[in-house]
Amino acid sequence: MMNKFPYNNGHVLVAPYKHASDICKLRSEEIGLLMEEVCRAMGVIRNVMHAEGFNIGINIGAVAGAGFEEHVHYHIVPRWNGDTNIMPVLADVKIIPEHLLSTCRKLRDEFYDLYPESTNEVKE
């Protein structure tokens, strides 16, 4: 799923179907499947957005920044050489050069190629 407040274009979230507040509450098999999805998402973002690197992480608990702490999820943030942005430092403002729905549409087709049984709808 797309992050509503992305750190960079192409910032997506990967979450398990099972509701858990902590990755340690998942079974080993579930963790393995979750990591496979993280790798698939990275592949899609590499192919579509030409990402040169990634920041991948999990926020567990409100004090760690988990905005939806009842459901653990990975953040996958694509990175490019020189993609630093001075605006958050100067004005506590983020500049994203592409609208979230535009990025979603770019990534959607490649994700659906991986999962043809999925619906091809974008929730707006």
Side-chain angles (χ1 to χ4, degrees):
M1 71 189 101
M2 301 297 297
N3 190 323
K4 189 174 182 179
F5 303 104
Y7 293 114
N8 250 344
N9 287 346
H11 180 175
V12 301
L13 307 175
V14 174
Y17 285 113
K18 179 180 179 178
H19 286 273
S21 60
D22 187 325
I23 194 159
C24 299
K25 294 181 180 178
L26 299 173
R27 294 188 331 249
S28 296
E29 303 82 37
E30 294 168 324
I31 294 170
L33 291 170
L34 191 57
M35 287 308 300
E36 287 178 17
E37 295 304 318
V38 167
C39 292
R40 284 188 183 105
M42 288 172 57
V44 167
I45 296 167
R46 268 194 192 104
N47 289 341
V48 175
M49 311 283 302
H50 309 289
E52 298 172 322
F54 293 90
N55 290 115
I56 298 175
I58 304 172
N59 301 334
I60 298 175
V63 298
F68 188 53
E69 57 185 312
E70 302 84 30
H71 200 114
V72 68
H73 55 274
Y74 278 90
H75 288 261
I76 303 171
V77 181
R79 300 301 303 269
W80 296 268
N81 190 32
D83 69 1
T84 57
N85 185 340
I86 194 69
M87 290 303 289
V89 176
L90 296 178
D92 197 25
V93 172
K94 293 195 89 103
I95 304 292
I96 301 296
E98 180 175 73
H99 192 278
L100 184 61
L101 288 175
S102 296
T103 305
C104 182
R105 287 184 184 106
K106 282 183 184 177
L107 297 174
R108 177 185 57 192
D109 291 337
E110 187 134 350
F111 274 112
Y112 286 123
D113 286 347
L114 292 173
Y115 304 98
E117 69 280 358
S118 299
T119 179
N120 203 6
E121 294 179 17
V122 174
K123 293 181 181 177
E124 300 187 23

